Amino acid sequence: MARDDYIEIKTTCTRDCYDGCGITVLQNQDGSVYRVVGDRDHDLSRGSLCGKCALAYNGVWRDPEVRLTTPLKRTGPKGSGTFEPVSWDDAFADIAERLKGIVADRGADSILNTHYTGTCSKIAGGFPDRFFNKLGATEVEPDTVCNMAGHVGLSYVLGASALGFDPLTAKDANCILVWGANPSASAPHFHKHWLPEADAKVIVIDPIAHETAKAADMHLQLRPGTDAALAFGMAEIALRYGFIDFGFIDEAVVGWDDVHEDIRQMPVERTAELTGLDPDLIVEAAMAYARGPSLMWIGQGMQRQKMGGNAFRACAMLAAVTGNMCKPGAGLSFLNGAGARGVDTGFIAGAHLAANPRPAISHMDLADTLADKARASAIVCWNNNIMASSPEQNRLREGLSREDLFTVCVELFHTDTTTYADYVLPAASFLEADDVMFPYFNFTVGPVAQAMAPPGEARPNQDIFRGLAHAMGYDDPEFAETDREIIDRILEQLPEPMSFEDLKATGTVRTHVEAQIQFAEKRFPTPSGKIEIASDRAEADGHPRVPLPHADIGAGTGRYRVLSPATKWTMNSSYANDPRIRAKMEGPVCFINPRDAGAENIADGARVRLSNDQGALELSATITTDVTPGSLLVYKGVWPMFDDVSHANVNVLNPGDKTDMGESCCVHGVEAALEVLG
Ligand SMILES: Nc1nc2c(c(=O)[nH]1)N[C@H]1C(S)=C(S)[C@@H](COP(=O)(O)OP(=O)(O)OC[C@H]3O[C@@H](n4cnc5c(=O)[nH]c(N)nc54)[C@H](O)[C@@H]3O)O[C@H]1N2
Ligand SMILES: Nc1nc2c(c(=O)[nH]1)N[C@H]1C(S)=C(S)[C@@H](COP(=O)(O)OP(=O)(O)OC[C@H]3O[C@@H](n4cnc5c(=O)[nH]c(N)nc54)[C@H](O)[C@@H]3O)O[C@H]1N2
Ligand code: SF4
Ligand SMILES: [Mo]
C-alpha cells in the first residue's frame, strides 16, 4: 500500500532531544499502527526520524511482548526480578497504605522521588510532581544528573539559562560556535540540516572529533576541562585586535573592569599550553567569532566537568565582551524553555500543593542517602532509569537491594532499576496519550496525539499518579484536572492561541514565525538588569565574583579521563533493550588515542579493563585519533543487564563528584586506570 492509504496522525517525538521532530503515525484502517515515520511537514526533520527512533518506535516501544502491561508486585527476594500481576486497585491501595505508614512513622521526607526525562511531554513529564508536592517527598533534584551546573553558572551572567537564541537567526550569522555539544548524536537534524545550511563558519570546540566536528570548518580539539582558559584566551585575542565591543559593554554589561586583567594575562601561547591547541587555530577561531555576528551553542557536555559552571560563565563573558548578543545572527544558547515562547507551564507541577518547602537532594547524594535507613524509607522512580544513568552504580545497587526499602517504579519496560522494585507500574508511552511538547531549541510547539491504545493495562504517568492520589485520600481539585483542561491552559498562552484540534491537524507549529532576537531590549533578568560578568549573587553563594581562566590539569600518571557522552544509537539508556539497536552499538567499546594505546601496549580490538575505587568495566579497544591523548571515550546508555561480562556500564566508574555549581554531575571528569587483559 502507498503511504496515502493509511490514516495519518501527527504527533511529536517526546525524547530529551534538541530536535523535537514531528512524527506521522501511519494507522491501518482498523486503527492499529502500521508504522511510525517522520512528519514530512516538519521543517527541521523533513520526514525523517533519527536512526534510533526509527528502529525503537517500530521495535520495542510498540512490542507488547517487551512492554510492561500490568501492575506487578514482587514475590521473591529484592533484586530477584520475580513478580506477580496484581490489579490496579490492589496496587494503589497497598502502595498508599505503605506510604501513609512511612509518613506517620518516619516522615514524608524519607520518601525519595526520582524522575527525569523519560518523556519530556508536558503532562506525562510534569503532572506527577503534583503528587509528590502534596506528599512532601524528598525531590532527588533531576537536573543534577544532567545540566544543573550550566543552569546555575549561566543564570549568574544572564539571569536566566533557558532563554537562548532562536535558531532561525542563523541566517544572519557569520560564525557558529558549537562548544561542548555533539549535534551529530544529540541533535541529529540540527547536524544534518541547520549547521550545513547556515551560511556561516562552523567552529566546533570539543575534545572528541565527532561527526559534527569532522564536518565543521574548524575543530578545536582541546583537552577536557580547559574551556574557561580558552574563552579568556579568545577574549585576549579580541582585545588585542580591537574586537572588544566597548559600546555594548557600556550599555549592557557589568564587570569588564573586573576581568580585564585576567584576560590580558592569557596570551595565545599560554592558552595553547593550557588547552593543548595549536596557537594559530586559536587565533583564527577567536577572530572569526569576535568579528561576528556569531552564535554560540554551549552544550551540556562542557558543563559536565568539575568547573563546568565556571566554564559557562567564561563562555557567556566572551559572548558579552565581543558584543555577540542582542542583535540578528548573534546570541548564546544552552536550552530554550517554554518560557522562551512566552508560555508558563509551571502550574502543571502544582508547587503550591506542598505544605512546606520541598526537601531536595542531589543525584550525587542518592547512593549515600539510600545507604542511610533513617533518610530513605521508600523511593518512587518514574521516567528515570537510575541503575543505568546515575553515578555510583555499585553503591546504588546495594542501596536498592535493601529489603526494607519500599520501592515503586513506573516504567515502560523491565529495566535494571525495576528489578529492585516492590511494585512495578506499567506506563503508557507518548504514542498512547494526548499531550503537548515544547522542544528545547527551536521556538515551536508540537501536538502529542494518542495514536494507539496502551498495551494491556498500561496507563499514562498522570493517570497513575491521579490513581495514587485518590488512594491516598487527596481530594484537591488539582488531581481532578483533566489532561484536556491542562492542554487548553497551555495552548491559550501561545502568542497565537490555538485549539488542540488545530494543533493536531497542523502538527508542529512555530510560535514565532520571524527570527527572534535574543534579549533584543538589552534588558536581562539579573539584579542589575545587565549581563553580569561580575556577580554579587555568585559571590553571596560562595563562588568567585567573576569567572576564572581555569584549566583542569590532566589525570595523574597511569590514569585517564573517561568521557561518556551520548551515542547516536540510544537516548540516554532508552532503546538499549532493542535488539536491533544493540546490534548497531557493537558491545561496550573504549576509544583510545594511538599514543596511549602504544604506551599501554594495546592493540586495536584488544580487551581492556577500566577501573578505579568505584568499580571496574571490561571493554574492547578501538584505537583512534578521534580522542585526545589522556582521554578515553566510552558511550553512555548500555543497560548493565545486557553486559554479560561486567554487568555494569560506564557509571560503575562514576564517583558522583559534584561540579563547582549546582551540585551537578561532572561525569566527563571521571578518571580511571586502564589495563590490557591477557
Ligand atoms: N555516564 C554518563 N551518565 C549519564 C550521562 C552522561 O553523559 N554520561 N548523561 C546524564 C543525562 S544528560 C541524563 S538526562 C540522564 C538521563 O537518565 P534517565 O532519566 O534515566 O534517562 P533514560 O536512561 O532514558 O531513562 C528514562 C526511562 O524512562 C522510561 N520512559 C520513557 N517514557 C516513559 C513514560 O512515558 N513514562 C514512564 N514512567 N517512563 C518512561 C524509559 O523506558 C527509560 O527507562 O543520564 C545521565 N547519565
Ligand atoms: N542520541 C542521543 N541524543 C541525546 C541524548 C542521548 O543520550 N543520545 N541525550 C539527550 C540529553 S539528556 C542531553 S542532556 C543532551 C546532551 O547532549 P550534548 O549537549 O551533546 O552533551 P554530551 O553528549 O554529554 O557531550 C557533548 C560533547 O561534549 C564534549 N565534552 C566533554 N567534556 C568536554 C569539555 O571539557 N569541553 C568541551 N568543550 N567539550 C566537552 C564531549 O566530548 C561530547 O562530544 O543530548 C540529548 N540528546
Ligand atoms: S530523538 Fe530527536 S532526532 Fe530522534 S526522532 Fe526524536 S526528536 Fe528526532
Ligand atoms: Mo540530559
Side-chain angles (χ1 to χ4, degrees), residues 116 304 383-385 389 410-411 461 564 573-574 636 651:
Y116 209 26
R304 291 185 187 131
N383 266 1
N384 194 194
N385 182 2
S389 305
V410 183
E411 249 297 348
N461 289 351
S564 55
S573 78
S574 295
K636 68 170 159 179
N651 280 320

Side-chain angles (χ1 to χ4, degrees), residues 16 116-117 145-147 300 304 440 572 636:
D16 189 342
Y116 209 26
T117 48
V145 81
C146 174
N147 57 18
Q300 318 200 38
R304 291 185 187 131
Y440 57 77
N572 297 311
K636 68 170 159 179

